[in-house]
Structures are given as C-alpha cells and as structure tokens.
Amino acid sequence: MVALVRTVAYLGLEARSVEVQCQIAPGVPRFNIVGLADKAVGESRERVQSALAAMGLSLPPKRITINLSPADLPKEGSHYDLPIALALLAAMGVTDAEQLADWIAVGELALDGRVVASPGVLLAAIHASQEEAGLICPAGQGAEARWASGIAICAAPDLVSLLNHLKGTQTLPDPRPGAVEPAPPGPDLKQVKGQETAKRALEIAAAGGHNLLMSGPPGAGKSLLASCLPGILPELTPAEALEVSMVQSVAGTLDGGRISRARPFRAPHHSASMAALTGGGLKVKPGEVSLAHLGVLFLDELPEFQRAVLDSLRQPLETGKVDVARANAHVTFPARVQLIAAMNPCRCGHLGDPALACSRAPRCAADYQAKVSGPLLDRIDLHVEVNAVTAADLVLPAPSEGSAEVAARVAAARAAQTARYGDAGVRTNAEADGDVLEAAATPDQPGRQLLAQAAEAMRLSARGYTRVLRVARTIADLAGSEEVGRVHVAEALSYRRRAPVN
C-alpha cells in the first residue's frame, strides 16, 4: 500500500504541488527519503521518528520509502516534516489515508511531537484555496493561513491533537485572521527646518513612486528626510498588503499572522552582501529589495556599499522583480521598490566648505562619487543637493506645514494616477511606460520644445528622457493639471543629474 499526502514546494512567491508518497514494504529496515530533497528535508527522518516516539509509536521493522513527487523539483525547508509524518501514519494504518486526500499539509515537527512554525504558510493557504483543498498547518500560524478565505484550516498544536481532530474525537478551534497593525509612528516633516528644495523633491518622489538621491554634508538632515517619507506615503490597498505579506511569509517575518497596511521601509547597512540585498543564499530567500516591495528601500552612505552590490540593483529598479538563478532552480521575487539614497559629496563630507574640506578636494569628490556607477545613477529620477543647515535656520520656529498636509496632496496625486491608468496594471507614474506613458505624459508644445533642447544639452539617455516625462507627469498631478506643461517639464529637468560622475 502507498499512502499519499499533499504538500507544496516554494519557488519564489509561487507554491507548487508536491505529493508525499509513503510505502512500507518487507525488507531490511531502512527509512529513505527520495525526490531531490535538501539537507533539511533529509533530516526529517530524525524529527519524524522522535515525534512518533513521543506519541508512543515506533516504526515497523520494514523498509520505509518516502518519495517527494515530482522528483525533479527541488525540495527545500522543514515544512515537509508534517506531511511526511502523516503519510507514514496513514501507511501504518493509524489514520485514514482517504481522509487526508482533501488536505494540504505544511509544518515542522519538534522532537516531542509539537507542530512548530515554518515559513511560507500564507502561500500554502492561497495555493490550497486555488486547489479547493483544506490546509493543515501549525497552530501558531493559523491566523496567517486564515487570510486566505474560503478554505478549511486545521491549525494543530501537536500531532496527537491533529489525529484526534481527524478522527472526530477532538475539535480544534477555527483560527481567525491576524490583526491589521496600524502604521508605526515616525518623524514629522515639521521637524525638518529649512531644506525646502529637498522637501519638495521628497513630496514629488512620494506622489509618483520615484527614486531619489540626496547629496549633502553630514548633519544636513538627509536621514531625517528619508525617515519622514513613510509618513506621507498612502497606505497599502488590501491587495497590496496581501502581496507584501506573501513576501514576509516566505522570509519567515510575518509574526502572528499580523498584516500591516503601512508600506515597508528597509534600511540595510552598507556592509550588506549581494545575497542580503537582492536575495539568494544556500536556501534562496528574498533580500532587502524584495522585503521593501511596494515600499521604500533606503540606502544611506550610498558610495560605501560595494559597487557590485549596488549594480545588482539595476535590474530590480528597471523591471520591478529579482531573478535569482541557481544551478538547480530559478526563483523570481517581486521588487517594485522606491529607492531613496543619501550620500556625502566626498569622503570628508565638506566639499563645499573651504575651511573644513580636505586637502585633496576636489579630486577626492570625483573619486568618492565614482564608486556609484553611471547606469545606476541614470535610474534615479530625482537628484537633489541638501545644503548644510545654518544656525539661523535652527532657531526659526517649526514650519507650519507638516507630514499630514503633504500626505493629503500625495494621496490626491496617487488617486489621480489610479483613475488615469485604470486596468493598465500600472500603480504610479514611475511604473508607466510605452504607450501608457506617452498617452499620459506627452507635454504641450512649449514643454516638448524645452524637453528636446534639454535632452540635447544635458545628453539625456533614452531612459533619462523617459524618467523626466514621468517626473513631469507627477508634478502636474500635484498641481492638479490634466496636461503636462512647460513649467512642469522645467521643474522635472532641474532634478536631473547634470553630468556623469565617471
């Protein structure tokens, strides 16, 4: 007899069906797991044996074979423990094999028989909904699984409770969806004194989802401005919140099934590796750029990152996704992020101050800025200089306009973009391209003339030309204008990088 239990394999944000087949046959006592399993899956033998021993069960002295089908699909992770144990129990006649046919099982087993959390339960629940099956998962992740509505969820604390529930002698409570967390409090734009140009650029970046680079001396307020950005961004829609939560589920950071409507804000240290930033590792997991999906990726001290690490962001910034290629798998993670970067003009940071600048100025500035490649800088829509704050600025009262007022204008501009693009699959102006962008952002005649002249004088690339159009469209949206005019194009051009750094 061969007992069958369904489970899933994770490839990026995709859950693929896997069938766990268990056969107990006469022969030399052995316990084999086959089907392209990694080390974590191979170690399931010890966890499953110990969990069954904790229930008072021992394996029969026969040849036990577990096959994970399809055999050519890589199997990674500890969530195969529970389906392997259920298939083994069904083959031993402890539970009904036919009853398990309507369920998909995921979960790791502790040595004492507890079912403990494993990453990716939300993806498994969505896959179960598509397959019209129920989901068996750890009790601690029932709230996470319940976000996939319309399916039966069996959130089991341990193997004994699960078996009793399947037999009908015990009823496990139906889990409820996790809480929707409010956005955490953050700094307000009223705390930023002066820096009106930088605040205007931040508002444009928030309204259109544009990438922004702030350059200025230490202490000018670049990090403070970046930390104010989440406070002026609109909340995630329910569909977007679910999309972000799927990434967090795969990464194992969706604690208690709690979903937040606040946009992600990730700020990795400049010592981060390429795998940490873009994803990968021995067991492929999403990196910082994917964990910031539909939110903000803040890179402080931009030139201090390794150049190869920064250049690995070129594809995600252009396509909105990360392709992690391995010899045995090709995984894709979403990465539609808004890049906010900050940097000093040179290593000492005081290039514009003769009294403080080092003796190598201005050569030190050229060497320092050359650490960031031109193609990456070309993908940044807004370049703004953040000047040092004077003592006169600091003694002034706080500005009357704060994050709430700016957020209202940003929300109105985002609403205009949602209405404009409709079903085109475009969320913001920063994502518009091709015919969609041409129909929405073609300037009037004076604007086209100015843009043509500037493209020649500033030597704009085709990408740079497109990004100027996107920024001009956002500026027009903030002004409530249906048409992109010369004044909108002029302001958009003022934020372009004047000359290549290297």
Side-chain angles (χ1 to χ4, degrees):
M1 173 186 173
V2 176
L4 307 177
V5 174
R6 290 192 288 172
T7 185
V8 295
Y10 303 121
L11 287 180
L13 292 193
E14 180 186 2
R16 295 192 183 180
S17 297
V18 171
E19 190 176 68
V20 180
Q21 307 164 355
C22 177
Q23 182 187 60
I24 300 178
V28 178
R30 293 189 65 180
F31 189 171
N32 292 326
I33 299 178
V34 297
L36 206 57
D38 74 342
K39 184 174 177 59
V41 182
E43 292 172 347
S44 292
R45 290 190 300 266
E46 307 303 326
R47 292 191 292 269
V48 169
Q49 288 183 27
S50 297
L52 295 184
M55 296 171 55
L57 296 175
S58 60
L59 297 181
K62 296 182 179 181
R63 184 181 182 189
I64 301 173
T65 303
I66 301 290
N67 179 43
L68 307 178
S69 176
D72 62 343
L73 180 67
K75 319 298 188 309
E76 296 179 344
S78 60
H79 65 278
Y80 292 98
D81 290 3
L82 183 57
I84 288 174
L86 290 175
L88 186 55
L89 289 170
M92 293 167 58
V94 177
T95 188
D96 187 1
E98 293 184 1
Q99 190 178 22
L100 293 172
D102 298 328
W103 297 90
I104 289 174
V106 292
E108 181 183 331
L109 287 178
L111 298 183
D112 57 0
R114 287 178 296 113
V115 183
V116 297
S118 62
V121 166
L122 180 57
L123 271 69
I126 294 174
H127 178 77
S129 177
Q130 296 168 349
E131 296 290 319
E132 298 182 353
L135 180 71
I136 300 174
C137 67
Q141 294 179 294
E144 176 182 338
R146 180 44 71 197
W147 283 108
S149 59
I151 63 171
I153 303 291
C154 179
D158 52 61
L159 265 179
V160 174
S161 300
L162 174 58
L163 293 178
N164 291 336
H165 177 82
L166 294 175
K167 290 179 179 179
T169 59
Q170 178 182 352
T171 301
L172 293 174
D174 189 35
R176 295 185 178 183
V180 178
E181 292 186 331
D188 194 282
L189 279 173
K190 287 185 178 180
Q191 300 176 22
V192 182
K193 295 186 177 181
Q195 311 298 5
E196 297 304 320
T197 301
K199 285 193 282 189
R200 171 63 174 172
L202 194 71
E203 179 180 344
I204 295 171
H210 303 289
N211 302 325
L212 169 66
L213 172 62
M214 296 177 286
S215 178
K222 302 184 294 295
S223 298
L224 177 59
L225 282 163
S227 62
C228 290
L229 182 58
I232 64 176
L233 288 172
E235 287 187 341
L236 294 167
T237 65
E240 290 175 337
L242 184 61
E243 194 175 338
V244 170
S245 299
M246 289 170 67
V247 179
Q248 296 172 345
S249 178
V250 172
T253 60
L254 194 61
D255 295 332
R258 292 186 293 271
I259 287 181
S260 175
R261 295 285 296 274
R263 295 187 179 271
F265 184 88
R266 307 290 298 189
H269 191 260
H270 57 74
S271 61
S273 66
M274 187 180 300
L277 200 62
T278 61
L282 184 60
K283 179 186 174 184
V284 180
K285 284 191 173 183
E288 292 291 331
V289 71
S290 295
L291 292 171
H293 179 55
L294 298 180
V296 177
L297 177 66
F298 176 48
L299 301 183
D300 200 6
E301 306 297 345
L302 186 68
E304 299 298 335
F305 285 81
Q306 297 179 35
R307 182 160 182 163
V309 172
L310 288 180
D311 285 343
S312 68
L313 292 176
R314 293 187 196 177
Q315 182 216 17
L317 293 178
E318 198 69 26
T319 64
K321 62 181 181 180
V322 173
D323 294 313
V324 182
R326 293 292 183 267
N328 60 348
H330 187 93
V331 178
T332 299
F333 292 112
R336 181 64 66 183
V337 300
Q338 182 176 358
L339 175 65
I340 306 297
M343 60 181 286
N344 297 326
C346 59
R347 183 168 292 278
C348 70
H350 300 286
L351 179 66
D353 190 340
L356 297 175
C358 66
S359 59
R360 294 187 64 243
R363 180 62 185 173
C364 65
D367 293 343
Y368 189 67
Q369 295 177 31
K371 294 182 178 181
V372 186
S373 67
L376 178 62
L377 291 174
D378 200 37
R379 286 166 167 81
I380 298 179
D381 306 328
L382 304 166
H383 297 250
V384 62
E385 296 288 336
V386 182
N387 298 319
V389 181
T390 64
D393 291 328
L394 295 175
V395 299
L396 291 175
S400 58
E401 184 177 78
S403 294
E405 293 79 10
V406 176
R409 292 197 297 269
V410 169
R414 289 279 184 120
Q417 293 166 54
T418 301
R420 176 188 306 122
Y421 298 122
D423 299 328
V426 175
R427 295 185 179 95
T428 61
N429 290 326
E431 299 178 28
D433 207 354
D435 294 338
V436 174
L437 179 64
E438 185 176 349
T442 299
D444 57 15
Q445 184 61 31
R448 287 197 299 270
Q449 291 178 351
L450 175 61
L451 186 55
Q453 295 169 1
E456 181 69 25
M458 299 173 67
R459 297 183 179 180
L460 293 179
S461 65
R463 180 187 294 113
Y465 183 93
T466 299
R467 291 184 178 272
V468 168
L469 282 180
R470 293 170 178 168
V471 174
R473 178 66 267 177
T474 300
I475 294 171
D477 287 339
L478 285 170
S481 174
E482 291 291 333
E483 188 175 29
V484 177
R486 180 184 176 91
V487 63
H488 307 132
V489 174
E491 184 175 2
L493 287 168
S494 70
Y495 296 114
R496 286 304 297 176
R497 187 167 56 102
R498 289 295 179 273
V501 220
N502 55 353

